[in-house]
Amino acid sequence: MTEQSQAYQKLAQDHIPKPNYLKNTVNAFWVGGLICVVGQVFNNWFIAQGIAKSTAGAYTAITMIFIGALLTGLGVYDEIGKVGGAGSAIPITGFANTIVAAAMDFKAEGYVLGMAAQMYKIAGPVITYGITSAILAGLVQWLIWR
Amino acid sequence: METKHIGAQSVAFHSTPGILETFSIVGPKEGRGPWGNDFDTILPDEIYGEKTWEKAERKILIEGLSNVITKSGFEPKAIDFLLAGDLLNQIISANFAAASFPISFFGLYGACSTIAEALILGAMLIDGGYAQKVIAAASSHNKTAERQFRFPIEFGSQRPPTAQWTVTGCGTVLLAAGGPNPKVTCATVGKVVDLGSKDPNDLGTAMAPAAADTLVTHFRDFAKNTADYDLIVTGDLGRVGSSILAELMENAGFPFRGNHIDCGISIFATDEDVHAGGSGCAALAVGYSGYLHKRLLAGKINKILIAGTGALLSPLSTQQNENIPGVCHAVAIEVI
Amino acid sequence: MDYLIAFVVGGMIVAIGQVIFDTTKLTMGHIMVIYVVTGSMLTALGIYDRIIQFAGAGASLPVSNFGYVLTKGVYEVLLAEGWAGVFNGVFQLAGGPIAAAIFFGFIFALIFRPKA
């Protein structure tokens, strides 16, 4: 960067408002915490129905994905996200939100190359990095513990 | 031949083309703002009966153009040139809207400075004797801009306090040779200024140096100062950019005298969730064709300098971590 | 009690994400990727299992759990099948939720339109 650019960026810093860290973090905490409590309610209910613990976890995830997807379709999830931020983006409901939001948005560009291709715009990287790191990490774990 | 080029970057229009008619269309959020009563049409929703947001933006621009022509009483064929632009890739709103009119067309891209760019070029065409009547127009749409530059509309993320809200709407201005007041008297054409800004969620910081550069050059070229105008109106610097601009102007020896407004800040009610304010080509386009033009006609203000500010970025340049340069064009509009 | 623990631990896990979001230029997409990869690494270290045992949905609802189920699947199939099974386990546990996300995503996108 040139000297002039550096001087300008320094001057600009004094004018740039900072996010309200405390408020945002507190909001993320209770919104995210509440979503986890809802998940816990479903999880306990599935277990009470006599479903095995590991299966109940998957059922809970699927139920929460359904809820996240539905609330996105109804236009509610982005309103929750304005308040919750990471609190509603990081739970699995937020993962469902990225898929439905992108898929709805790109319907106009067609059902194949628009909707179906673009629905992974944000979820795709999560799946790609998740699978790649899972294979590497699982392999390392196996090599150590087998 | 006498030159009309003044100083470093400015031009003077000897025949002072007049602004015959304007038309403004805005979305519901803009309609609820303090300038709500000044707009010709306030849409009840942003989709405007269309299937896609892009079609909605195009329809807004077509309506804006049709109405300014109808209001003037001329046939479309009587207009010599249409100068228009928007924010979408390959300026599809302006290009497709222009297909509905039998008018010679120049498509412009100056990001959010487009209406100022169009007014300057339109006044040049008339002052140079190449045209009698020219329409300058620009549009933007919140949802089309969100889709192109940011995330899917229903994605639940937060925006930082420096982020701005793209204005939905279009403003159209019909210039005519020998037309009535208010008149376009002179202009300063901006240079592209890059001072290393990179944050696409903080365009005010990216554009402020270009605005300061053009305004200072304008005052130097015409040996004027800020007090010579009733109002100095920037397009969409927002709260962050306006605050920086005030300091830059002060440092350059041209402090504002309480006579600077920014359309991005003024267009929305203060309780709207728009963070640092409005942005987009339509901010200044509807600000002029709605609010400012009516004030000039009513004699409440007589001499204004409007400065369109554009942040020059594309989704690709942002992903490749390029800087975001800015550009600003200033046009003086006066009641003589 | 398990509800309170889920609330506090889940809240804390996502609050870290909010701090990253507010103090850096990273988008939520970047942060979700960081969470998945972190979840995967903590799983290999045997830590994520314990967090889930303690916090239940507080740890199994954040997207880091996605890294956990993917990695756990890989590990379990490797134990059962050896080298040859290295690619077979990824969807062992995560398959259901991924299928649900894609299916519901497609169906709801067909039904609904983005609102203004």
Side-chain angles (χ1 to χ4, degrees):
Chain A
M1 246 204 285
T2 65
E3 221 167 90
Q4 199 195 357
S5 299
Q6 277 172 354
Y8 173 69
Q9 294 300 330
K10 195 161 167 278
L11 176 151
Q13 277 309 315
D14 296 338
H15 299 267
I16 296 174
K18 297 275 170 288
N20 190 334
Y21 299 115
L22 185 67
K23 185 180 145 214
N24 288 357
T25 309
V26 169
N27 281 342
F29 179 84
W30 75 258
V31 171
L34 213 58
I35 293 172
C36 292
V37 170
V38 174
Q40 190 70 52
V41 171
F42 280 113
N43 199 53
N44 291 359
W45 185 78
F46 284 126
I47 290 172
Q49 301 307 301
I51 294 163
K53 209 177 169 190
S54 60
T55 318
Y59 285 7
T60 303
I62 291 167
T63 310
M64 296 304 283
I65 284 166
F66 177 84
I67 294 172
L70 180 64
L71 291 179
T72 305
L74 294 172
V76 177
Y77 209 84
D78 63 324
E79 301 294 330
I80 300 173
K82 274 184 200 162
V83 180
S88 50
I90 291 176
I92 196 148
T93 44
F95 180 73
N97 165 252
T98 66
I99 293 181
V100 182
M104 284 198 294
D105 225 37
F106 284 93
K107 228 175 4 172
E109 284 75 29
Y111 288 96
V112 176
L113 297 181
M115 181 174 139
Q118 300 289 343
M119 65 196 275
Y120 304 105
K121 202 176 177 186
I122 306 159
V126 177
I127 296 173
T128 304
Y129 279 95
I131 290 176
T132 309
S133 78
I135 289 169
L136 293 173
L139 207 52
V140 170
Q141 192 184 7
W142 177 65
L143 288 171
I144 295 170
W145 297 105
R146 67 177 167 156
Chain B
M1 196 180 139
E2 67 168 332
T3 177
K4 298 172 181 177
H5 196 282
I6 311 272
Q9 289 166 240
S10 301
V11 292
F13 306 113
H14 292 178
S15 68
T16 60
I19 297 177
L20 204 57
E21 208 59 79
T22 67
F23 200 85
S24 54
I25 302 179
V26 295
K29 200 172 192 138
E30 294 74 15
R32 286 196 298 271
W35 293 349
N37 292 331
D38 297 311
F39 300 125
D40 295 293
T41 303
I42 298 170
L43 303 176
D45 59 59
E46 290 183 305
I47 191 77
Y48 206 6
E50 293 290 325
K51 277 206 155 60
T52 68
W53 305 111
E54 289 74 15
K55 282 196 171 79
E57 178 173 347
R58 184 192 319 166
K59 186 172 168 188
I60 290 171
L61 187 52
I62 291 174
E63 288 296 312
L65 292 169
S66 306
N67 278 296
V68 80
I69 297 170
T70 312
K71 262 173 94 179
S72 72
F74 295 115
E75 289 294 315
K77 283 202 174 80
I79 312 294
D80 299 311
F81 293 99
L82 166 60
L83 307 170
D86 60 278
L87 288 178
L88 300 188
N89 291 342
Q90 287 74 48
I91 54 169
I92 53 172
S93 305
N95 285 342
F96 292 170
S100 301
F101 299 91
I103 306 173
S104 302
F105 169 65
F106 285 118
L108 306 180
Y109 188 83
C112 310
S113 73
T114 300
I115 191 68
E117 185 181 359
L119 283 170
I120 294 173
L121 291 169
M124 283 177 173
L125 286 170
I126 291 173
D127 201 40
Y130 299 101
Q132 291 290 310
K133 295 177 189 69
V134 175
I135 294 178
S139 70
S140 58
H141 191 294
N142 180 268
K143 297 299 173 286
T144 62
E146 279 300 303
R147 290 194 62 196
Q148 178 172 301
F149 290 104
R150 294 179 191 96
F151 280 120
I153 288 156
E154 294 292 338
F155 179 47
S157 186
Q158 280 173 336
R159 298 147 62 78
T162 51
Q164 291 175 250
W165 183 269
T166 307
V167 170
T168 297
C170 90
T172 53
V173 178
L174 175 54
L175 296 170
N181 272 316
K183 289 167 172 290
V184 182
T185 54
C186 62
T188 301
V189 181
K191 306 192 292 266
V192 173
V193 178
D194 177 0
L195 287 186
S197 292
K198 279 186 187 293
D199 186 356
N201 279 312
D202 180 10
L203 298 180
T205 299
M207 295 187 289
D213 188 79
T214 299
L215 291 177
V216 168
T217 305
H218 179 84
F219 296 130
R220 288 198 179 132
D221 283 351
F222 292 103
K224 287 180 186 171
N225 67 60
T226 52
D228 288 323
Y229 290 100
D230 297 332
L231 268 184
I232 296 160
V233 186
T234 48
D236 60 347
L237 293 176
R239 279 175 248 286
V240 179
S242 295
S243 160
I244 296 173
L245 176 64
E247 182 174 343
L248 293 175
M249 294 304 287
E250 181 104 43
N251 294 350
F254 295 95
F256 292 129
R257 313 282 178 187
N259 58 346
H260 167 241
I261 64 166
D262 182 75
C263 293
I265 299 176
S266 301
I267 192 167
F268 290 117
T270 47
D271 59 346
E272 293 279 9
D273 183 26
V274 292
H275 304 277
S279 65
C281 301
L284 182 60
V286 303
Y288 181 76
S289 53
Y291 176 78
L292 295 164
H293 189 68
K294 292 201 169 69
R295 294 294 174 289
L296 286 163
L297 287 180
K300 290 187 176 144
I301 43 176
N302 290 311
K303 205 170 174 185
I304 64 171
L305 184 65
I306 63 171
T309 44
L312 304 173
L313 77 167
S314 82
L316 202 78
S317 74
T318 306
Q319 286 182 337
Q320 294 182 352
N321 203 27
E322 297 279 357
N323 287 354
I324 304 173
V327 69
C328 171
H329 303 298
V331 196
I333 300 174
E334 303 174 38
V335 176
I336 302 170
Chain C
M1 191 60 190
D2 53 348
Y3 295 118
L4 185 67
I5 293 172
F7 180 78
V8 174
V9 175
M12 272 164 51
I13 290 176
V14 298
I16 294 168
Q18 186 68 41
V19 173
I20 299 172
F21 183 72
D22 279 344
T23 53
T24 66
K25 299 282 175 211
L26 296 176
T27 67
M28 284 300 177
H30 290 97
I31 292 170
M32 289 166 83
V33 167
I34 291 171
Y35 266 67
V36 168
V37 174
T38 308
S40 167
M41 293 195 299
L42 291 177
T43 306
L45 296 169
I47 296 171
Y48 211 85
D49 240 331
R50 289 183 204 164
I51 305 177
I52 289 184
Q53 270 164 21
F54 172 68
S60 67
L61 258 284
V63 77
S64 45
N65 184 67
F66 195 48
Y68 166 73
V69 288
L70 287 167
T71 310
K72 199 178 172 197
V74 172
Y75 178 63
E76 284 179 357
V77 170
L78 276 170
L79 283 180
E81 298 180 18
W83 279 109
V86 66
F87 297 120
N88 293 348
V90 190
F91 294 120
Q92 183 92 344
L93 301 165
I98 291 180
I102 293 171
F103 181 76
F104 294 137
F106 188 85
I107 298 296
F108 286 134
L110 277 183
I111 301 171
F112 297 109
R113 278 174 66 157
K115 314 275 181 302

